[in-house]
Amino acid sequence: MPAMTASTLRDLEHHSAFVERHIGPNDAEIAHMLGVVGHDSLDAMTDAIVPGKIASRAPLALPDAMTEVDALAKIRKVAQQNTVLRSVIGQGYYGTHTPNVILRNILENPAWYTAYTPYQAEISQGRMEALINFQTMVTDLTGMDIANASLLDEATAAAEAMTLAKRSAKSKSNVFFVADDVHPQTLDVLRTRADGLGIELLIGPAAGAKDADTYGVLLQYPNTFGRIGDHAEVADAVHARGGIVAVATDLLALTLIQAPGRWGADIVVGNSQRFGVPFGFGGPHAGFMACRDAYKRSMPGRLIGVSVDAAGNQAYRLTLQTREQHIRREKATSNICTAQVLLAVMASMYAVYHGPDGLTRIARRTHRFASILAAALGQAGVPVGDAFFDTLHVTGVDADALHGKARDAGFNLRVIDASSVGISLDETTTRDEVVALAKLFGAEIDIEALDTATTDALPKTLARDTKFLTHPVFNTHHSEHELLRYMRTLADRDLAMDRTMIPLGSCTMKLNATAEMIPVTWPEFGNIHPLAPADQTVGYTELIDGLEAMLVEITGYDAVSFQPNSGAQGEFAGLLAIRAYQQAQGQGHRDICLIPESAHGTNPASAQMVGMTVVVTRCDKDGNVDVDDIRAKAEKYSDRLAAIMITYPSTHGVFEEDVVAICDIVHQHGGQVYTDGANMNALVGVARPGKWGSDVSHLNLHKTFCIPHGGGGPGVGPCAVKSHLAPYLPRALGGDGEVGMVSAATHGSASILPISWMYIAMMGADGLRRATQVALLNANYVAKRLAPHYPTLYTGRNDLVAHECILDLRPIKDATGISAEDVAKRLIDFGFHAPTLSFPVTGTLMVEPTESESLHELDRFIDAMIQIRDEIHAIEDGRLDREDNPLKHAPHTAMQVTASEWTHAYPRELAAFPLATLRHTKYWPPVARVDNVHGDKNVFCSCIPVGSAEDEPEAFSEPDVV
Ligand SMILES: *Cc1c(COP(=O)(O)O)cnc(C)c1O
């Protein structure tokens, strides 16, 4: 023990600094690891890795690091600047009670929120069951054949419906009809998307869709004013012309009214927010899409399906991935990567908890209140419309005066125009509220009397006549104990960061600290409607402006939009900015986007969405983008060059020397430089893209800035730009910016921004730089320690990698038949989540340990990888069979290793306990290796019927990505 007596307060407080908790290795471990990597200090190592041309040594101008206690106190003050009124604004967002058992055990539970996208099916069965419940819920309620899990929000889901319809319609028309009574944010996003793709929008009253010559239509049911229209005739007319009918709808209303699938909808979209997810000032919430079976291979987004495992048991997996950006690139059905998994899980659990009867009761009660309020207003002589579920369209009033009066009484109404307002009731509505709302119109009411005297206002012809949620999962877990145990059972099937490092290259699975998560569930952030008046959202403004200033300082850009709710959405926003800027310069003809072959699939998929043509550039044998090829192609397309999209450090995990030169070349030829900022974890405090010549980047707050992955979302993909592009960032809802909205809400998934704010506030400038340096150190330590066993494919300056390393398993495959996938699956037997498989190079594993992993955890992973290499040697030597070995049959379930019969050519103990340490803590995968081909051939995307049959497996492997 060192003598403590002489310590100053400063010394003593050093160890309560958050940075000490965020960063895994301590000083002694860092010194040891630096020794392994061959450098004296973190700074010396950083200098050896980061090219001098881009390195910025000046400390970031950020406030000093705060302790957890101080940062929470500060953000509490920020939150308290928000005023929480009762919002009955509606317009796609409704009050809801998050069941407390779901709040604590899903939203606040790292077993759920720190999980990754379920590419590794065997360790993701729990969340995939929750997601297949979501899909079943959506399918049942909408009356469609198949649903995905999930889309980003209702407005982008509508835009995806517009493009799905385009891909699927028989009509040759290029016109898409949009009913003028869809939500305003939906219309804005549709305009943005249609513009990029050259689709013409025709907007008019829903009935007009009957006669318009269009390839598809979008209707809203109930519409934005609450009215439930009968669209059967319109649907028939559209079908008769070979067109497709898309419908935006409300899941709670559908418990009472006819499913759109019953009257002719081909695609149904919406938002599941009111199933237990707070307003959050606009997000995150899970959007949904359901469609006819015929369109399933053309659907956007993530789809969970049922397949079988190697033992013949049913198992879930991501199905039909060949539609997606990571495989199909610019020909993908969408650019969606990160979606809204955690919120979809919450909404599905809400349905599991309440069941069909509970949901119907909630809907009936909501409708009862709406009917009673309508009757009261009717008696007071105020017209409210008919055929509604929960929303009254109150006309003939002085909207502004009413709005002011409502605010004094504690309510936010929707101001529709000068003489009408909207009032949307919901699950949280109480008798007192209805009395108070009636009073705003001068009506004094006796609720109980009105209740008896008032009939429902649902159109009789559109009463729901089909059952929903009949599967046992929605009819079993209704007591809290049952639901608690169901959620725990599912969580136990999965591996998340509460059990193991998840060293996924490009995904940056770093610590999501508890202190960062705490503000997310404060009502001052959660209970704010996205359209709440500005004077009630002062805290949000402070939070957003503050975070923007932090990110401006960190990146070297000038302005940031938080509207994009994923990285891919950020790419789309950035490319839109480039396009609008070039149009304003009279350069609107520029349409070529250069993208290196190593790019993430979202890059080409996003370029396609703004109407750019992708030209792929080569990489050299060292993994660097080929500058000569870029120069040649920039010259060739000089008069058409719009942009280059590069990732830095590259997806190959190296800091390329030539990035400044590349920026110059592209600028010389009139193009703009888009830097994919997903790898910002290697740059924060070390180099700033906005200062080395890049024009725009998206950041992944759910990677570098600690928002958890949630099992595949939510994310925030802010778009950061230099000042010349700032006027072309997406506008606010109702705003007058040049470029339209890319997401439904002005500030996207605003309610999770406190996570990144807390992270930066607690780390401070020095802590952020140190985090980056340790991320570099950890990656280089893993690469060095594993070098004798697995070669690292690419290295940069001084033979060092950046924040991740690609382990090349292709020689092993050639020599032994053991593939990278076999190694990935074998890691499960050791309790590890595999590194990124086959991205960006097929047959490799990309390891990104991040700064948050301790030396202990890194060594545990390295030991597992070395043991696996020994097993491969044993195959080479003939000590293990080439076919019947623990790698080919990994992972091993408890059922398999404890079965009375064991026929494998290797011992059971080797199968289950390849390292002695596993005897203390052992993760048992719930299923054996999942068969991908079977699942794609036999697409089934709903809850497994009880007692259904099993099938025969086949083997297959597909890349896995980020
Ligand atoms: C993760 C990632 C993206 C996409 O981000 P999402 O939030 O998943 O849409 C884009 N580029 C790279 C390099 C990434 O790693």
Side-chain angles (χ1 to χ4, degrees), residues 112-118 127 131 340-342 509 708-714:
W112 288 94
Y113 68 68
T114 69
Y116 180 65
T117 309
R127 56 191 182 275
L131 292 174
Q340 300 280 19
V341 168
L342 190 68
M509 300 292 288
H709 272 65

Side-chain angles (χ1 to χ4, degrees), residues 335 337-338 506-507 566-569 571 600 602-603 647 651 676 678-679 698 700 702-703 839 962:
N335 69 343
C337 180
T338 292
S506 212
C507 302
S566 73
Q569 288 280 84
E571 293 171 15
H600 193 273
T602 52
N603 291 186
T647 306
T651 49
D676 181 327
N679 287 348
H698 77 269
N700 286 60
H702 47 301
K703 294 177 181 172
F839 172 80
V962 220

Side-chain angles (χ1 to χ4, degrees), residues 662-889:
I662 292 169
C663 294
D664 288 345
I665 293 169
V666 171
H667 285 147
Q668 270 160 27
H669 291 282
Q672 292 278 295
V673 177
Y674 187 103
T675 304
D676 181 327
N679 287 348
M680 208 51 211
N681 211 46
L683 295 174
V684 176
V686 167
R688 304 198 284 172
K691 297 292 181 206
W692 76 58
S694 178
D695 300 294
V696 40
S697 288
H698 77 269
L699 308 173
N700 286 60
L701 298 192
H702 47 301
K703 294 177 181 172
T704 316
F705 296 96
C706 298
I707 292 177
H709 272 65
V716 177
C719 181
V721 293
K722 296 295 284 180
S723 56
H724 65 285
L725 296 178
Y728 307 105
L729 285 171
R731 66 173 160 245
L733 181 56
D736 51 10
E738 294 269 323
V739 173
M741 299 181 80
V742 297
S743 313
T746 300
H747 301 291
S749 294
S751 66
I752 50 176
L753 296 177
I755 302 169
S756 300
W757 187 98
M758 284 288 290
Y759 172 63
I760 298 169
M762 294 191 295
M763 293 293 277
D766 293 345
L768 289 171
R769 179 172 160 91
R770 192 172 171 85
T772 303
Q773 292 180 312
V774 176
L776 299 173
L777 176 65
N778 278 1
N780 279 286
Y781 175 78
V782 171
K784 265 284 186 312
R785 289 274 329 268
L786 287 179
H789 312 279
Y790 305 91
T792 286
L793 187 54
Y794 301 120
T795 50
R797 312 170 80 224
N798 303 307
D799 272 340
L800 294 164
V801 296
H803 62 310
E804 57 196 6
C805 59
I806 299 179
L807 306 178
D808 191 359
L809 280 82
R810 294 171 302 182
I812 290 177
K813 172 91 193 273
D814 294 342
T816 64
I818 294 299
S819 68
E821 186 175 19
D822 294 329
V823 173
K825 301 306 178 193
R826 183 63 172 148
L827 275 167
I828 297 172
D829 286 330
F830 292 78
F832 280 105
H833 189 295
T836 299
L837 173 62
S838 287
F839 172 80
V841 182
T842 309
T844 64
L845 291 174
M846 181 158 65
V847 184
E848 180 181 0
T850 84
E851 72 277 11
S852 301
E853 297 305 338
S854 64
L855 178 59
H856 167 79
E857 186 70 357
L858 297 181
D859 283 342
R860 216 169 64 83
F861 174 71
I862 290 164
D863 288 347
M865 289 297 288
I866 292 173
Q867 164 66 21
I868 291 173
R869 189 66 186 91
D870 286 347
E871 292 174 4
I872 297 169
H873 280 310
I875 295 168
E876 285 169 307
D877 301 349
R879 282 176 289 134
L880 282 173
D881 187 81
R882 274 181 81 94
E883 292 308 321
D884 194 3
N885 60 59
L887 281 130
K888 283 276 173 225
H889 293 291

Side-chain angles (χ1 to χ4, degrees), residues 392-662:
L392 307 184
H393 184 190
V394 187
T395 50
V397 292
D398 178 345
D400 269 347
L402 202 57
H403 187 48
K405 221 164 130 187
R407 280 163 70 173
D408 293 342
F411 295 95
N412 289 319
L413 309 179
R414 174 174 174 194
V415 175
I416 293 169
D417 55 36
S419 65
S420 71
V421 298
I423 301 177
S424 293
L425 302 185
D426 56 51
E427 180 188 5
T428 69
T429 302
T430 62
R431 285 175 167 73
D432 289 348
E433 285 179 0
V434 173
V435 170
L437 285 165
K439 209 169 182 173
L440 295 176
F441 300 88
E444 295 285 344
I445 62 170
D446 173 347
I447 285 249
E448 311 303 330
L450 269 181
D451 188 16
T452 336
T454 308
T455 54
D456 283 355
L458 297 167
K460 300 256 168 336
T461 51
L462 287 170
R464 182 163 187 120
D465 62 2
T466 46
K467 288 200 161 67
F468 54 91
L469 307 187
T470 54
H471 190 275
V473 75
F474 300 105
N475 295 282
T476 310
H477 313 288
H478 294 169
S479 74
E480 181 156 333
H481 257 155
E482 283 298 333
L483 185 69
L484 185 68
R485 289 171 192 154
Y486 178 58
M487 295 189 303
R488 175 66 194 255
T489 307
L490 295 189
D492 280 352
R493 288 187 190 153
D494 289 8
L495 274 184
M497 283 204 294
D498 59 337
R499 293 212 244 195
T500 167
M501 71 188 288
I502 302 188
L504 281 163
S506 212
C507 302
T508 314
M509 300 292 288
K510 62 201 270 183
L511 175 75
N512 315 120
T514 310
E516 292 155 5
M517 294 299 291
I518 280 178
V520 171
T521 47
W522 289 346
E524 293 89 343
F525 287 128
N527 292 352
I528 305 277
H529 192 284
L531 297 161
D535 60 358
Q536 294 169 29
T537 61
V538 176
Y540 261 119
T541 306
E542 188 176 331
L543 176 83
I544 289 165
D545 290 351
L547 188 57
E548 178 179 15
M550 292 168 175
L551 294 179
V552 160
E553 174 60 19
I554 288 168
T555 59
Y557 290 110
D558 299 314
V560 179
S561 164
F562 292 100
Q563 194 175 109
N565 42 18
S566 73
Q569 288 280 84
E571 293 171 15
F572 178 56
L575 293 170
L576 284 174
I578 289 176
R579 207 184 52 153
Y581 167 76
Q582 287 174 338
Q583 278 166 354
Q585 307 291 306
Q587 297 287 312
H589 60 281
R590 293 187 172 272
D591 66 342
I592 297 285
C593 187
L594 303 181
I595 302 184
E597 60 187 352
S598 59
H600 193 273
T602 52
N603 291 186
S606 300
Q608 181 277 133
M609 287 167 66
V610 296
M612 290 185 186
T613 301
V614 174
V615 172
V616 177
T617 69
R618 284 193 297 268
C619 292
D620 68 17
K621 62 169 184 15
D622 301 322
N624 295 310
V625 295
D626 181 336
V627 185
D628 290 335
D629 196 36
I630 289 175
R631 187 178 294 110
K633 285 178 173 144
E635 267 163 24
K636 176 168 175 200
Y637 296 107
S638 190
D639 51 343
R640 285 176 62 192
L641 185 64
I644 188 169
M645 294 184 89
I646 46 172
T647 306
Y648 203 82
S650 78
T651 49
H652 285 160
V654 290
F655 279 90
E656 285 149 338
E657 296 289 333
D658 297 320
V659 65
V660 178
I662 292 169

Side-chain angles (χ1 to χ4, degrees), residues 120-132:
Q120 294 294 325
E122 297 80 4
I123 52 91
S124 313
Q125 292 294 304
R127 56 191 182 275
M128 286 202 281
E129 177 159 327
L131 292 174
I132 217 155

Side-chain angles (χ1 to χ4, degrees), residues 23-358:
I23 292 181
N26 63 27
D27 292 348
E29 290 167 345
I30 288 174
H32 163 74
M33 291 159 74
L34 280 168
V36 173
V37 172
H39 285 278
D40 295 338
S41 68
L42 285 172
D43 280 337
M45 182 201 68
T46 308
D47 287 344
I49 296 174
V50 182
K53 270 183 236 136
I54 62 162
S56 53
R57 283 190 196 78
L60 293 171
L62 292 171
D64 287 343
M66 276 189 255
T67 63
E68 294 188 26
V69 173
D70 291 346
L72 278 169
K74 180 153 183 204
I75 200 165
R76 172 77 75 182
K77 289 216 178 82
V78 174
Q80 283 166 349
Q81 315 267 320
N82 288 332
T83 312
V84 181
L85 257 55
R86 172 72 170 106
S87 284
V88 292
I89 298 170
Q91 201 176 316
Y93 308 91
Y94 307 89
T96 178
H97 291 303
T98 309
N100 288 309
V101 61
I102 295 175
L103 177 77
R104 174 155 297 183
N105 299 289
I106 303 270
L107 184 56
E108 297 178 342
N109 180 354
W112 288 94
Y113 68 68
T114 69
Y116 180 65
T117 309
Y119 287 116
Q120 294 294 325
E122 297 80 4
I123 52 91
S124 313
Q125 292 294 304
R127 56 191 182 275
M128 286 202 281
E129 177 159 327
L131 292 174
I132 217 155
N133 293 345
F134 179 84
Q135 293 177 179
T136 304
M137 167 187 100
V138 172
T139 307
D140 278 9
L141 284 169
T142 57
M144 303 306 291
D145 299 323
I146 189 168
N148 69 12
S150 59
L151 291 180
L152 291 158
D153 55 40
E154 178 167 334
T156 57
E160 298 295 347
M162 172 178 76
T163 54
L164 170 58
K166 186 89 184 80
R167 291 190 292 276
S168 311
K170 290 195 192 74
S171 161
K172 292 278 163 283
S173 161
N174 194 40
V175 183
F176 188 69
F177 182 94
V178 185
D180 59 7
D181 55 7
V182 302
H183 293 316
Q185 65 271 23
T186 300
L187 190 54
D188 201 324
V189 171
L190 281 171
R191 283 201 164 107
T192 315
R193 290 279 196 97
D195 189 34
L197 297 168
I199 293 171
E200 195 184 319
L201 291 187
L202 186 63
I203 298 154
K210 253 196 290 195
D211 309 312
D213 182 21
T214 67
Y215 76 79
V217 306
L218 176 71
L219 308 168
Q220 184 143 356
Y221 167 83
N223 74 9
T224 189
F225 309 116
R227 191 158 198 291
I228 304 163
D230 185 342
H231 301 295
E233 264 181 50
V234 170
D236 288 347
V238 174
H239 288 150
R241 287 196 315 268
I244 287 185
V245 178
V247 177
T249 192
D250 178 283
L251 292 178
L252 192 63
L254 291 185
T255 63
L256 303 182
I257 62 175
Q258 191 67 280
R262 295 274 288 161
W263 53 255
D266 303 299
I267 306 170
V268 182
V269 296
N271 181 2
S272 62
Q273 175 266 322
R274 73 189 309 171
F275 278 26
V277 183
F279 291 128
F281 198 36
H285 316 126
F288 63 83
M289 171 184 279
C291 66
R292 295 200 183 284
D293 187 69
Y295 310 147
K296 64 173 180 272
R297 286 171 203 278
S298 198
M299 232 186 171
R302 302 272 141 101
L303 195 55
I304 309 298
V306 180
S307 185
V308 293
D309 74 356
N313 296 312
Q314 278 166 322
Y316 306 107
R317 62 183 280 278
L318 282 169
T319 200
L320 298 180
Q321 289 189 49
T322 45
R323 301 164 294 116
E324 293 192 56
Q325 45 74 29
H326 63 274
I327 297 177
R328 202 54 74 73
R329 306 182 76 84
E330 67 268 27
K331 297 196 180 64
T333 56
S334 81
N335 69 343
I336 295 171
C337 180
T338 292
Q340 300 280 19
V341 168
L342 190 68
L343 303 313
V345 169
M346 286 179 71
S348 81
M349 289 301 175
Y350 180 92
V352 167
Y353 185 52
H354 289 297
D357 295 342

